[in-house]
Every structure is written in structure tokens, then in C-alpha cells.
Amino acid sequence: MNSRKSAANGLRNSVAAMALAAFGMTMMATSSTASAADKVRIAMVVKSLGNGFFDAAHEGAREAAKQLGDVDIIYTGPTTPTAEGQIEIVNSLISQKVDAIVISANDASALVPITKKAMQRGIKVLSFDSGIARAGRLMQLNPSNAELIGVKQIQMASDAIGGAGEIAILSATAQATNQNIWIGEMKKALTRPEFSKIRLIATVYGDDQSDKSYREAIGLLRSNPNLKAIIAPTTVGINAAGKAVVDEKLVGKVYVTGLGLPSEMAGHVKSGAVKSFAIWNPIDLGYAVTYAAYQFVKGKAQGKDGESISVGRMGSIKLDAEGEAALAPPFTYDAGNVDKFARIF
Ligand code: RAM
């Protein structure tokens, strides 16, 4: 336990003891409450609850907590992916005096004032998946290299449609840091000569909500009769787009690709709406960021350029000049391997 926290606990205990003494009672410190208070409390704040990607990241966080032994995980997030919802949650985590917050942000800059406040109170703030601007966090853990993620998705779309035709993007929210970076990289990839016959005709936003993503996908299909592919760089969007293509009876005419969870995509690969898609391991991502947060709480990481931070079974990560690190390249799934991985995430 750090000294700030032990002082706070000491104060709380003596205030409680005084109150009890006033009623002629005595207070017994029980070892169970003491050991709970000794635990490092790490809050994982996700873009929104009910997203399978973050459920898997939570599983990784729990794995790290179990391995580290003295960590409690608080898993939380708004019901819809808004910065306002996350600001409220961070505010309440500041009052709860958690030790660290690992957050996948709904906005790179809107969260900065509140996470700065958290850091001023001694809370270690790390972003992962979808980043916060540097002033609002100690480090950002990216799942993979952004350029790789962008090129990979254009390559998969190109392979599905024979290298030519109209494509559209169905993204998450318009403010999502990670999706916006990947969309930028996809646009850059499209300037390569090998993709010169592919034309991006629209980008729409399903806000990582299944129903809105589905409606947006249907809209794309109905208003663009020459559309050949939808790229959804979001696990919620790609799942909804796969269903829309089947429901509109466009299997074989329009292909869906992007970033998906094998557990949610196996059916779409079987229906033929999806030939291939990609993703990294969300369990590993949640595990690594939780492990890194622990290092910050224990004073073993500071967030300096070039610093190496231990992330347990995954080895170590190295921070670049922006205070960011990346894990592994995305992995591609198709009819040959999707069932095997569907059991894992
Ligand atoms: C959704 C979320 C998440 C993103 C994945 C690929 O679950 O938007 O932030 O990383 O898709």
C-alpha cells in the first residue's frame, strides 16, 4: 500500500473509531478488511459495456490480477460510447481513490482535463486500445502498429473484390481515437498503386451500437448499388454489416471485412458475407495494460521515452517518443481457422 493511501486509511479508521467511541463502542480492525484495503485497485474503463471485445480485455485484466496476487479489478464503462459518460465514471473513480485507471477513450482530448485531475491526485492513468492525448495519460498501449492495421484492411477488401470497385467504411463513433487513426491509414494505403482501382465512396458511423451499425450498413447497401465491400474497423460494426449483407441477399455481391472477433464472425464466414477479417488478441491487450498499470503503481515505471515496462507473460513493452507502445501484428481469420479461435475470443 502506498503512503498516501495508508494515511487516508489511518484517518478513516480513526474518524470511525471516534464515532464509535462516542456511542460507547469499540472498533475492531479485522484482518480481512485490512487485506482488502492493501490491494492495488485498478479500474478498467471501457468505451461502453456490452461489447465482446472489452469483455475479452476484462478477462485479460483478471488474469493479470490473479497472477500479481494483490490486485482488485474494477470493470466499468458507460452504456453508450460517449466521452461524457467516461468523464462521470473517472470522476467517481477519483472519489473512490483507486490506484490506477486503464481506459479505452471515446475521445482523445475531451478526457484530458478529468484524467489530468486523476493524475494530480496520484492515480496512474494509462490508455489502451483507443488513446487519450499525451497530456492526459502516462502511456498509451496500442494493440498493434496503426499503419499495419490500415494496410491490412485495404488488402483484405482488395482480395475479396478482385482488386477493383467501390468500398465504404462503417466505423464506430466519429470521435474514436483508434478508428480515426486507422481510417487515416486506410486512406493513405489507398494512394498506393496496387489499390488504384479501389474507390472509397463513403464513411459512416454506427457508434459501436449493433442496431445503429446495422441501420448504417443497410443504408450503405441500398444507396450504393455498385458497392463491392464494407470495411468495418470495429468488432461491433463488422458483425452488424455481415448480418445486413445476408438480410439484403447480397452475399457474393458485397463483401464485409475489417476487425472482428472470431467468436462473433464464424457465422458470417460460413454465410459467405465475409471471406477474411483480422484482429489481435484482446485478452492479451487487457492483460498487458493491467500488468503495466501495476508497474506504475509500484513505482517501477514512470512513462519516460524509451522506457521498457514489464508486462508479465508477454515480456516487456518499450515506450516511443510519444509515450506509446504496441503489441503484436493483427492476425487474419478465414474459413480455415475461424472456428478454432471462436472458442477463445
Ligand atoms: C470495437 C471497439 C474497439 C476496437 C475494436 C476493434 O470493439 O471500437 O475500440 O479496438 O472494435
Side-chain angles (χ1 to χ4, degrees), residues 47 51 53-54 129 178-179 182 208 233-235 259 279-280:
K47 281 178 167 177
N51 178 340
F53 178 87
F54 293 117
D129 181 54
N178 52 348
Q179 271 89 13
W182 301 332
D208 268 353
T234 140
T235 57
L259 305 173
I279 199 74
W280 39 88

Side-chain angles (χ1 to χ4, degrees), residues 38 123 170 175 181 184 196-197 200 202 204 228 236 243 334:
D38 274 347
I123 299 173
L170 168 62
Q175 291 79 31
I181 292 171
S196 63
K197 294 194 184 113
L200 176 65
V204 297
K228 294 275 179 299
V236 180
K243 182 168 165 30
D334 57 22

Side-chain angles (χ1 to χ4, degrees), residues 18-31:
M18 279 175 342
L20 290 170
F23 287 98
M25 299 175 198
T26 52
M27 193 176 73
M28 299 277 288
T30 63
S31 57

Side-chain angles (χ1 to χ4, degrees), residues 242-288:
K243 182 168 165 30
V245 164
V246 172
D247 290 355
E248 292 292 288
K249 307 204 166 30
L250 288 169
V251 172
K253 293 200 178 83
V254 181
Y255 291 96
V256 174
T257 188
L259 305 173
L261 295 172
S263 56
E264 295 175 353
M265 298 305 293
H268 297 310
V269 172
K270 285 197 186 80
S271 79
V274 174
K275 281 187 185 167
S276 71
F277 65 97
I279 199 74
W280 39 88
N281 185 327
I283 302 172
D284 287 352
L285 186 62
Y287 170 91

Side-chain angles (χ1 to χ4, degrees), residues 5-21:
K5 204 158 140 186
S6 50
N9 283 334
L11 185 65
R12 266 202 301 276
N13 291 345
S14 55
V15 169
M18 279 175 342
L20 290 170

